[in-house]
Amino acid sequence: MSQQLQGFIFDLDGVVVFTDKYHYLGWKRLADTQGWQLDEALGHQLRGVSRIPALEVILQHNGVSLSEDEKHRLAEIKNEYYKAYLHDINENDLYPGAVAFVELVRERGIKTALASASKNAETVLEALRLTHLFDAVVTGNDITRSKPDPQVFLLAAERLEVEPSRCVVFEDAYSGIEAARNAGMQAVGVGERDRLPNAPLCITDYSELSLGDLIERGLD
Ligand code: B16
Ligand code: MG
């Protein structure tokens, strides 16, 4: 295969579905019940970060220290808040153009993977009937290390049977862009440039990308 890129790896929350908003609201509700400060700027720092490490970011920001048991208890409460938002999830929560873009990628013969730090990722994929779009799915249930560790993306590439250097990752999180780079992969930031200063390229709309050029030349 002469193409430079052979695997497209998509993060879920904030890249395919606007569940990033529900993660934030879940943490915000927990913080409010505990009297902790949490604003949108801190919320952006939680993007892509696994459940307990995300809670630890909030605790550190508020100068609070808790036992491991208490952390797990509170993280579970946030997860219940998050899952309640998922009950009403529907097509309006899809990132505009994302599904059509993944379909276009697949029509070009490129393999696709979903790689999310979320343990709820499969629930979201099934609720919105998205599972068939991906040749491989890696979720928070498959990994032990949070982004910026590259584990989630390296496992996705392994399951796609594509070399990491031939993969591009789509990510809305600073930590996720770092994880992609740590995996030796190319990375496209999805979202506003000011919160993704580490992304070589940033888009807010998938139609901004020239797919043929990206596949053939990558981002270099
Ligand atoms: P859960 P992604 C990440 O998903 C979210 O961005 C992050 O906010 C969340 O804390 C993390 O999943 C863990 O999610 O508590 O559902 O296991 O962006 O990697 O698709
Ligand atoms: Mg994300």
Side-chain angles (χ1 to χ4, degrees):
M1 208 170 181
S2 64
Q3 289 165 329
Q4 182 178 351
L5 293 180
Q6 299 175 349
F8 275 43
I9 300 177
F10 296 86
D11 174 56
L12 180 65
D13 302 320
V15 166
V16 178
V17 185
F18 286 130
T19 34
D20 49 333
K21 177 176 66 186
Y22 300 136
H23 278 293
Y24 172 71
L25 290 174
W27 286 124
K28 178 68 180 155
R29 191 166 161 200
L30 179 74
D32 288 349
T33 64
Q34 301 297 311
W36 300 335
Q37 198 270 345
L38 200 174
D39 58 14
E40 286 190 15
L42 185 63
H44 288 318
Q45 289 181 42
L46 308 178
R47 286 176 182 270
V49 180
S50 302
R51 202 177 301 171
I52 295 292
L55 175 60
E56 287 170 344
V57 170
I58 299 170
L59 294 178
Q60 190 178 19
H61 179 80
N62 284 274
V64 174
S65 112
L66 296 177
S67 67
E68 292 304 308
D69 281 356
E70 187 64 357
K71 284 184 206 170
H72 281 89
R73 189 183 75 79
L74 292 175
E76 188 51 41
I77 292 173
K78 178 268 174 179
N79 194 45
E80 291 303 319
Y81 294 154
Y82 177 65
K83 287 197 296 187
Y85 289 116
L86 294 186
H87 283 154
D88 299 324
I89 197 168
N90 61 56
E91 288 68 27
N92 295 327
D93 294 296
L94 289 169
Y95 197 112
V99 169
F101 181 73
V102 179
E103 285 171 344
L104 210 57
V105 170
R106 292 172 66 81
E107 280 168 22
R108 297 287 189 115
I110 301 291
K111 290 185 183 174
T112 55
L114 190 287
S116 169
S118 176
K119 293 181 175 173
N120 295 290
E122 284 187 9
T123 304
V124 174
L125 290 179
E126 285 163 17
L128 295 174
R129 297 190 176 82
L130 300 174
T131 312
H132 69 282
L133 291 173
F134 302 102
D135 299 296
V137 172
V138 180
T139 76
N141 298 302
D142 301 311
I143 59 168
T144 53
R145 297 188 294 278
S146 182
K147 301 168 189 173
D149 189 284
Q151 185 185 25
V152 68
F153 296 134
L154 290 175
L155 187 53
E158 192 182 312
R159 289 184 179 174
L160 289 180
E161 298 183 351
V162 173
E163 287 297 315
S165 63
R166 299 259 181 156
C167 291
V168 62
V169 171
F170 290 78
E171 255 295 349
D172 68 310
Y174 185 96
S175 63
I177 298 288
E178 290 304 287
R181 294 161 66 127
N182 289 336
M185 298 177 182
Q186 304 208 18
V188 174
V190 179
E192 302 303 328
R193 162 59 78 194
D194 58 351
R195 63 176 167 78
L196 292 166
N198 56 345
L201 170 70
C202 239
I203 58 165
T204 53
D205 185 328
Y206 285 92
S207 66
E208 290 170 44
L209 284 171
S210 166
L211 183 56
D213 288 349
L214 180 59
I215 292 170
E216 292 299 328
R217 293 200 285 276
L219 297 173
D220 299 329

